[in-house]
Amino acid sequence: MQHRLLKRQIKKLLPAEYLESGDLNHFIEAINVAYKSYDSDYQQLERTLEISAKESFKELTDFKNAISTTSMVLITDYKGKITFANENFIKASGYSKLELIGKTSKSFNSDAHEESFYADMRRTITNGYVWKGEIKDKTKEGKYYWADTTIVPLLNAAGKPTKYITFKIDISGIKNAEQKSIEHAQTLEKINRELDQFAYVVSHDLKAPLRAINNLSEWIQEDIEEIMDEDTANNMKLLRGRVKRMELLINGILDYSRAGRMENKETIIDLKELFNDIIDANKIHDRIQFDIPKNLPSIFSEKIALYQVLQNFISNAIKYNDKDDIIVTLKFEKRDLFYYFCIADNGPGIAPEYYDKIFVIFQTLQARDKMESTGVGLAIVKKIVEEKGGIINVDSEIGVGSKFSFTWPITYKNNIAI
């Protein structure tokens, strides 16, 4: 319509001699073509905008539905009065929709937070910033629930909040599980303290009469030494041996109960120095030979626990060895997330059916009268290694010897494994 009016105006204003000009006709035709293209483009633009608006509206609707499905949503005015609440919030709060409209969020505050907590929240959002945190809210019935909460202020042109949108996700299950975990840890800590105290009292009460028996046997032997025959002397010696074994057994029980629970600070350990210290403590005669790796590194770990494990394996390799010349070989490697230690000997070996038995507390493969042992050492070692996250293995051949290996977790110092 507009291009027709334009043609009329042109013909009305131009002199008559121009009206018959071919150039004018070409000009008028060009206007027709231009307007036809404009109409086509305009219609296409209208269709594009219409499609885009529908798609945007669908996206917004989908977004709204997604939020409403997963979250509790509140909208409040700049004074904090509720103007909208979705179904999730209505169900969680216990209020009806009519009861919620006009209320303030203070209606749901619990006594779990200090006033400073809420003051900081208000200060943040009134200054136009998003606030995020965990809030313990109260329902209409007075029940409590935890919500992961985000409050978003909607600002006007001056940067002042006009509304607030609050998104809440119920995390009561997570918070309750955390609380139960804390309570469980506290209970375990209390039980461990009581067990330590009990073990100390029992060991003290048991050791006292044992020492008295030992002393009495020595006094009796001194009194009758002139008339005592060989059998009586052997029996007195056997009696004191039993007393000593009982004392070692009590100490072993105490060590086992504390294994893996003692506070042990991590430190840099020179493995060559550590191995040499253990060797010096166990080289009781010249027939014992030790083979250790060269160029041993330093590691960052718990020295006391690691020393206890290595000392037990090495002392056993010597104590139970039946060869005239004892050979103990130590190996060390770094494997992925663990250090690998291996202690091999040339002793009598262990039959496969006893691999599990040797790590059970109080279990020994030889009669205690033949080889003095409490059967606690390897049980302690297994407990320490497994509580650190490592694994113990044994590989043995009768008459050839045994290999005890274990993995020890790599500890990082300043994000560097050393």
Side-chain angles (χ1 to χ4, degrees):
M1 176 65 73
Q2 289 181 350
H3 73 280
R4 292 176 185 172
L5 292 175
L6 179 62
K7 286 193 293 182
R8 289 177 186 173
Q9 287 296 106
I10 291 172
K11 290 179 179 180
K12 182 179 179 181
L13 295 174
L14 288 175
E17 61 267 22
Y18 287 109
L19 297 178
E20 302 300 327
S21 171
D23 291 337
L24 178 62
N25 291 332
H26 288 307
F27 176 67
I28 296 297
E29 184 61 29
I31 290 174
N32 285 333
V33 173
Y35 267 103
K36 286 179 181 178
S37 296
Y38 170 78
D39 285 343
S40 176
D41 291 345
Y42 183 77
Q43 290 173 4
Q44 181 64 35
L45 178 62
E46 280 187 326
R47 285 196 295 271
T48 301
L49 290 173
E50 182 180 0
I51 292 171
S52 178
K54 287 180 178 179
E55 289 178 349
S56 297
F57 181 76
K58 184 179 183 305
E59 286 182 359
L60 287 172
T61 302
D62 292 342
F63 183 63
K64 175 187 173 184
N65 291 337
I67 292 175
S68 295
T69 301
T70 58
S71 304
M72 297 175 273
V73 182
L74 272 180
I75 299 178
T76 60
D77 62 18
Y78 72 98
K79 292 182 178 180
K81 291 185 177 181
I82 297 172
T83 59
F84 170 83
N86 74 342
E87 288 300 320
N88 283 348
F89 188 86
I90 293 171
K91 290 178 182 178
S93 69
Y95 292 93
S96 68
K97 189 171 185 178
L98 289 175
E99 289 176 319
L100 286 172
I101 302 301
K103 277 186 176 295
T104 65
S105 56
K106 289 182 179 180
S107 306
F108 319 116
N109 291 356
S110 69
D111 54 4
H113 308 288
E114 300 288 341
E115 176 55 34
S116 57
F117 173 86
Y118 295 108
D120 176 70
M121 179 202 304
R122 289 192 295 270
R123 184 165 50 250
T124 300
I125 61 176
T126 53
N127 285 328
Y129 298 103
V130 174
W131 184 91
K132 184 173 177 59
E134 295 178 351
I135 301 179
K136 189 175 184 180
D137 280 340
K138 184 172 61 175
T139 67
K140 180 181 178 181
E141 293 79 18
K143 297 180 179 179
Y144 296 101
Y145 66 96
W146 281 94
D148 185 357
T149 304
T150 302
I151 304 176
V152 181
L154 302 182
L155 310 179
N156 59 18
K160 299 295 183 182
T162 58
K163 291 182 179 180
Y164 301 101
I165 301 180
T166 301
F167 302 94
K168 291 176 176 285
I169 298 175
D170 194 326
I171 57 170
S172 299
I174 297 173
K175 298 297 288 186
N176 291 338
E178 287 177 357
Q179 184 60 34
K180 287 181 180 178
S181 178
I182 292 171
E183 291 173 356
H184 182 63
Q186 291 173 343
T187 301
L188 284 178
E189 186 178 353
K190 181 174 180 290
I191 290 172
N192 284 334
R193 286 198 304 268
E194 291 173 349
L195 283 174
D196 284 341
Q197 181 64 23
F198 174 77
Y200 173 79
V201 171
V202 169
S203 67
H204 181 270
D205 290 347
L206 287 175
K207 284 180 179 180
L210 286 177
R211 283 192 291 269
I213 293 171
N214 187 75
N215 292 337
L216 283 170
S217 68
E218 290 179 349
W219 296 340
I220 292 171
Q221 186 168 352
E222 289 175 0
D223 291 341
I224 63 172
E225 189 170 9
E226 295 180 358
I227 60 173
M228 185 171 56
D229 57 21
E230 186 176 351
D231 287 341
T232 303
N234 288 334
N235 287 335
M236 297 299 285
K237 183 179 179 181
L238 188 62
L239 174 64
R240 286 194 291 273
R242 294 290 189 271
V243 170
K244 182 64 176 177
R245 181 191 298 173
M246 189 63 185
E247 185 175 1
L248 290 173
L249 190 60
I250 292 169
N251 291 333
I253 294 171
L254 285 173
D255 291 339
Y256 182 81
S257 68
R258 294 168 180 166
R261 295 193 293 107
M262 295 179 66
E263 186 176 351
N264 193 355
K265 292 183 179 179
E266 294 171 332
T267 184
I268 296 176
I269 305 169
D270 184 331
L271 285 181
K272 183 178 181 181
E273 183 180 315
L274 181 69
F275 282 165
N276 285 333
D277 287 344
I278 298 174
I279 289 170
D280 290 342
N282 288 277
K283 194 166 185 179
I284 53 180
H285 51 73
D286 294 335
R287 291 185 293 104
I288 303 175
Q289 299 178 36
F290 290 93
D291 182 13
I292 67 173
K294 295 180 180 179
N295 303 319
L296 284 166
S298 293
I299 65 173
F300 185 71
S301 189
E302 299 180 23
K303 185 174 183 179
I304 296 175
L306 183 59
Y307 182 96
Q308 189 174 4
V309 172
L310 290 168
Q311 160 64 21
N312 212 296
F313 280 133
I314 292 171
S315 64
N316 281 352
I318 296 170
K319 181 193 293 185
Y320 298 106
N321 204 301
D322 60 347
K323 305 297 191 297
D324 291 333
D325 294 317
I326 298 172
I327 301 174
V328 180
T329 303
L330 308 178
K331 290 184 179 179
F332 169 82
E333 295 176 12
K334 184 178 178 182
R335 297 182 176 179
D336 298 327
L337 302 176
F338 291 87
Y339 298 120
Y340 170 83
F341 294 88
C342 182
I343 299 90
D345 63 60
N346 64 333
I350 303 169
E353 59 265 29
Y354 296 116
Y355 285 179
D356 292 331
K357 182 179 179 181
I358 58 177
F359 292 106
V360 178
I361 192 168
F362 304 138
Q363 294 291 324
T364 60
L365 299 186
Q366 297 184 23
R368 287 187 171 90
D369 289 337
K370 183 177 178 181
M371 178 65 67
E372 192 64 50
S373 174
T374 61
V376 178
L378 287 181
I380 291 175
V381 164
K382 188 173 188 291
K383 186 177 180 183
I384 292 174
V385 170
E386 291 184 348
E387 286 190 355
K388 300 299 179 189
I391 298 173
I392 286 183
N393 283 307
V394 57
D395 183 24
S396 185
E397 185 177 347
I398 298 296
V400 177
S402 302
K403 291 181 181 179
F404 287 89
S405 62
F406 67 95
T407 55
W408 194 261
I410 294 177
T411 304
Y412 292 84
K413 182 182 172 110
N414 299 327
N415 295 323
I416 299 175
I418 60 172

